[in-house]
Amino acid sequence: MRVLSSINHLNRNLLLTSKARTWKRFSVAALAEADLEEILVVETEDALAVVPAGEIGDKAVAKIHLKAGTLINEFVAPVLTAPTMHTVQLCERVHVAPTRGAEFISHACTNTNTRIMVDSENYVGRFFVTRDVEAGEDLSFN
């Protein structure tokens, strides 16, 4: 685990997806307002495990207790022109696939515990934990 000394280490041009599939600016100032002066970064392999989820396939669960604001995955490739069940749409014809198990973080409409923030100019996506998550808890985003 490592802690970034300030939120300024992240790109200043982070974007956040909304339910309407439009893009909203998510600035460094907004991160600061969320009391994220320091961002804990946990390697994906230490943060989550992929486990069987019955008939629906696999899902990602927290391996350890994760604090709100923790960065658990950063992905930059592959970049695709069409969606798959595991990609995140950055713009009309650009989709990126989370990697190292994060592709199994489930989509949910309510009670989610992660958020994807993307830099669409550089095709970078990041999964942040939005509330404290206990070990063994399903990871999900909206």
Side-chain angles (χ1 to χ4, degrees):
M1 282 191 253
R2 59 190 165 99
V3 177
L4 298 179
S5 59
S6 85
I7 56 176
N8 292 326
H9 283 88
L10 293 178
N11 293 341
R12 292 184 178 273
N13 192 28
L14 294 175
L15 298 172
L16 167 69
T17 59
S18 75
K19 288 182 184 178
R21 293 192 187 273
T22 57
W23 302 99
K24 296 179 182 175
R25 293 252 169 231
F26 196 82
S27 66
V28 170
L31 285 172
E33 288 173 14
D35 292 327
L36 299 180
E37 288 136 14
E38 291 187 336
I39 297 174
L40 182 64
V41 179
V42 177
E43 294 298 323
T44 303
E45 294 77 9
D46 296 330
L48 65 87
V50 177
V51 299
E55 294 179 12
I56 64 168
D58 295 327
K59 64 181 179 179
V61 299
K63 269 189 183 178
I64 58 173
H65 174 82
L66 298 168
K67 292 183 179 182
T70 302
L71 173 63
I72 59 170
N73 182 262
E74 182 174 76
F75 53 96
V76 292
V79 175
L80 307 170
T81 57
T84 72
M85 69 181 287
H86 295 295
T87 56
V88 175
Q89 184 174 3
L90 300 183
C91 55
E92 187 176 337
R93 297 200 39 86
V94 178
H95 304 262
V96 246
T99 57
R100 300 188 327 246
E103 64 271 27
F104 295 102
I105 295 176
S106 303
H107 174 266
C109 294
T110 60
N111 204 25
T112 60
N113 51 24
T114 69
R115 172 175 281 164
I116 301 172
M117 287 190 275
V118 298
D119 172 350
S120 60
E121 291 177 15
N122 297 304
Y123 307 131
V124 176
R126 295 177 180 95
F127 274 98
F128 283 91
V129 176
T130 56
R131 63 171 173 78
D132 285 3
V133 176
E134 297 303 320
E137 188 175 341
D138 291 0
L139 295 171
S140 61
F141 72 97
N142 185 7

